[in-house]
Amino acid sequence: MEIIRDIYSYEKSACAATIGSFDGVHLGHAAMISELREAADKAGLPLAVVTFARHPRLLFDGECEPFLLTAENERLSLLEAAGVERIFLLDFDTCMASMSAERFMHEILAERLGVKLLGVGYDHRFGKPCEGECFECYAKYGNDAGIDVIQLSPYSLEGRNISSTMVRRAIAEGDMPAASELLGHPYTISGTVAHGAGIGRYIGYPTANIQPCDDMKLLPPDGVYEVSAVVDGACFKGVMNIGVKPTIGDNMLRTIEVHIIDFNGDIYGKRITVELVRRLRGELV
């Protein structure tokens, strides 16, 4: 998969693309990509996704609570697994935010990226908000810019159109099976194993203290979770605790600690990915 971070030095090449944040790369996103894949194949074009290095919400609300379903590396891996061949990571700034959809399609999609076929979600809007703007407007802008614009179908599960907001709600409630069902894959937390207080090892249950790779990653409610931990490509069963450990000392920092069952290796400083299976209980107080 080709990843383009600097679109201004990129030598444009014809492609089919869709645009969005793609946070979580859930079942709805996967269905959109699959549908566009078919159209791209018929047109003989590689499949691309136009997305953002940082979620647009962070530009307008820098003090928001953590909400991201996927850190950048997780999102890119999921998009690659979905069959995306080319990813454009845009630096979303105030200049780009002020662009109308028409200008964005002409200057960025057509002139910079070489988009010839654009798939638009059934309810997706992009560019500076313009009252009354709709798919028909995008189709006209595209025609003027030499882009064929198609509308992608919604994807529903049990009569509900899946969205990142719906996934966030399930995670906020600690319902990991529901979140995994909506995502089409386990919800994960990835990060580096850091040194903790060492209390777990002292009492016979050593734990890996995880520092998430993105501070804006959404964490489920405090409590104890059944998990699978992936270390050096190997998968182990484990138990994870998220919380401030109020029963131990006066350190009220929120921590993520995983006890990996039947594992005694030294993994300090290594990357670890934890797949959340289900919530076992809340944190004891």
Side-chain angles (χ1 to χ4, degrees), residues 29-262:
H29 294 142
M32 287 176 55
I33 292 170
S34 178
E35 185 177 352
L36 183 58
R37 166 87 279 167
E38 293 184 14
D41 286 345
K42 288 180 181 179
L45 295 169
L47 178 60
V49 160
V50 181
T51 188
F52 310 98
R54 299 188 76 231
H55 197 288
R57 180 176 169 184
L58 296 173
L59 177 67
F60 301 105
D61 186 7
E63 298 182 356
C64 60
E65 293 293 319
F67 68 94
L68 290 178
L69 299 174
T70 43
E72 182 183 287
N73 63 314
E74 296 169 328
R75 185 165 47 116
L76 296 181
S77 294
L78 289 168
L79 288 171
E80 182 176 24
V84 176
E85 299 166 82
R86 187 179 301 168
I87 294 181
F88 297 101
L89 279 174
L90 306 184
D91 287 322
F92 189 76
D93 54 18
T94 53
C95 178
M96 188 169 290
S98 69
M99 285 187 178
S100 65
E102 183 175 16
R103 181 185 170 196
F104 183 83
M105 290 179 70
H106 275 267
E107 295 185 13
I108 303 298
L109 298 185
E111 295 179 13
R112 290 288 179 184
L113 309 184
V115 175
K116 295 298 182 183
L117 173 64
L118 178 67
V120 179
Y122 75 99
D123 64 346
H124 183 67
R125 299 291 180 267
F126 62 91
K128 186 177 181 180
C130 178
E131 186 176 354
E133 202 165 54
C134 58
F135 170 76
E136 286 71 22
C137 299
Y138 297 151
K140 180 182 181 303
Y141 304 155
N143 184 65
D144 294 341
I147 301 174
D148 184 18
V149 183
I150 61 173
Q151 190 167 40
L152 302 174
S153 307
Y155 179 85
S156 62
L157 182 67
E158 298 178 351
R160 301 175 298 166
N161 291 334
I162 296 176
S163 67
S164 296
T165 298
M166 188 182 298
V167 179
R168 292 187 186 102
R169 187 178 302 121
I171 293 169
E173 293 171 355
D175 191 345
M176 306 319 301
S180 295
E181 182 180 28
L182 294 169
L183 288 167
H185 54 82
Y187 189 66
T188 63
I189 299 173
S190 297
T192 304
V193 178
H195 286 276
I199 295 174
R201 185 172 298 278
Y202 177 76
I203 62 177
Y205 294 94
T207 58
N209 188 298
I210 302 176
Q211 183 64 46
C213 53
D214 195 318
D215 291 339
M216 295 307 295
K217 175 79 174 187
L218 178 64
L219 299 179
D222 291 353
V224 179
Y225 294 80
E226 176 187 346
V227 302
S228 292
V230 180
V231 184
D232 288 338
C235 187
F236 303 87
K237 291 184 178 181
V239 179
M240 180 180 73
N241 183 82
I242 299 179
V244 295
K245 298 182 296 185
T247 58
I248 301 176
D250 57 2
N251 181 2
M252 300 302 284
L253 292 177
R254 197 178 192 204
T255 60
I256 306 170
E257 295 187 330
V258 180
H259 170 60
I260 306 174
I261 298 171
D262 296 328

Side-chain angles (χ1 to χ4, degrees), residues 259-274:
H259 170 60
I260 306 174
I261 298 171
D262 296 328
F263 181 84
N264 294 309
D266 183 0
I267 55 174
Y268 287 122
K270 289 190 175 183
R271 296 275 302 189
I272 184 173
T273 296
V274 179

